[in-house]
Amino acid sequence: FEFHEPLQTFSNSPLPRLMPDEINAESDTFGNLEEEPKVTGFTWVRKVLGENLSYVQGGDGDIGELFLTNLPVETVLDSSVKFLLLYFSGRWCPLCIEFDKFIRDVYSGLKALPESSDLDLVWVSCDASEHAFRAHLEALGNNILTVPWTRMHMDSISGHFGVEGVPYLLVVDFTTGKALTTHGREDVSPSRFR
């Protein structure tokens, strides 16, 4: 796996800059977060994303073979997660179709690094129907975490984070639910996606 320029990296680290410059890469802290009492990230996740996330398995080109398992957020997200990547895309968007593969490759590359064990990705569909959602999942491939599809729920999540266009990659502090950067796509992508 290789990153394409113009990615910025932390000093002494191969990780691309997915977090704002205020984060101390050596201690993984944001401001004085370590001094404040810890709260569980599951509180805001359940409130914003819902009680369950779907884990996608199966499918080899046939939408009917796609297998979604809805599991409580505490089951699919580890409590050691510090950063949650929320990726918004829709099958109707040509740039999203192209960026989907890129973000999967970047995420797979990051997860292969020991330094990124505190990072997870959740896909948020911006598709117009459940059928389009399932077709999009089939194209994305196996082993994806996603929010179960309902139009009202997807609109609520997009509205909560102020998503106005796709593809959109948001880096969120898992503990607080606050966006650390709203420019995740620009931070990780080659110029054709900017």
Side-chain angles (χ1 to χ4, degrees):
F1 181 80
E2 64 182 71
F3 294 107
H4 301 280
E5 289 300 323
L7 292 177
Q8 298 177 1
T9 59
F10 294 120
S11 59
N12 302 323
S13 173
L15 292 176
R17 188 181 65 82
L18 289 174
M19 291 135 252
D21 295 332
E22 296 83 43
I23 292 179
N24 179 331
E26 302 302 320
S27 66
D28 287 336
T29 59
F30 182 71
N32 61 358
L33 189 60
E34 293 296 318
E35 298 170 13
E36 297 176 9
K38 292 280 186 184
V39 296
T40 175
F42 297 115
T43 304
W44 78 264
V45 170
R46 283 192 303 267
K47 180 179 177 186
V48 177
L49 301 182
E51 295 289 327
N52 296 309
L53 291 176
S54 295
Y55 182 72
V56 181
Q57 298 174 328
D60 57 4
D62 181 3
I63 294 172
E65 293 181 19
L66 192 67
F67 184 68
L68 295 172
T69 304
N70 289 332
L71 297 167
V73 294
E74 293 88 348
T75 304
V76 292
L77 292 174
D78 192 290
S79 61
S80 66
V81 169
K82 292 181 183 177
F83 307 104
L84 193 61
L85 305 176
L86 296 179
Y87 174 53
F88 297 80
S89 74
R91 186 170 182 237
W92 50 267
C93 166
L95 187 58
C96 292
I97 299 297
E98 192 177 347
F99 194 70
D100 287 349
K101 180 173 177 5
F102 179 79
I103 195 64
R104 283 293 307 249
D105 290 346
V106 167
Y107 180 67
S108 295
L110 286 172
K111 288 307 282 183
L113 299 171
E115 299 95 340
S116 65
S117 62
D118 57 359
L119 176 76
D120 234 324
L121 174 83
V122 174
W123 176 60
V124 182
S125 170
C126 295
D127 292 301
S129 69
E130 186 170 3
H131 179 75
F133 164 74
R134 292 180 67 82
H136 197 164
L137 280 174
E138 185 70 28
L140 285 170
N142 290 330
N143 305 320
I144 301 267
L145 279 178
T146 185
V147 176
W149 192 93
T150 68
R151 176 84 267 150
M152 187 183 332
H153 193 194
M154 299 305 164
D155 289 344
S156 172
I157 295 167
S158 296
H160 177 84
F161 289 109
V163 176
E164 296 179 358
V166 294
Y168 192 82
L169 180 62
L170 186 68
V171 180
V172 178
D173 180 308
F174 185 73
T175 304
T176 65
K178 293 183 181 174
L180 298 175
T181 181
T182 57
H183 303 287
R185 185 180 94 197
E186 293 84 3
D187 289 344
V188 300
S189 65
S191 60
R192 72 178 181 274
F193 294 118
R194 292 181 186 187

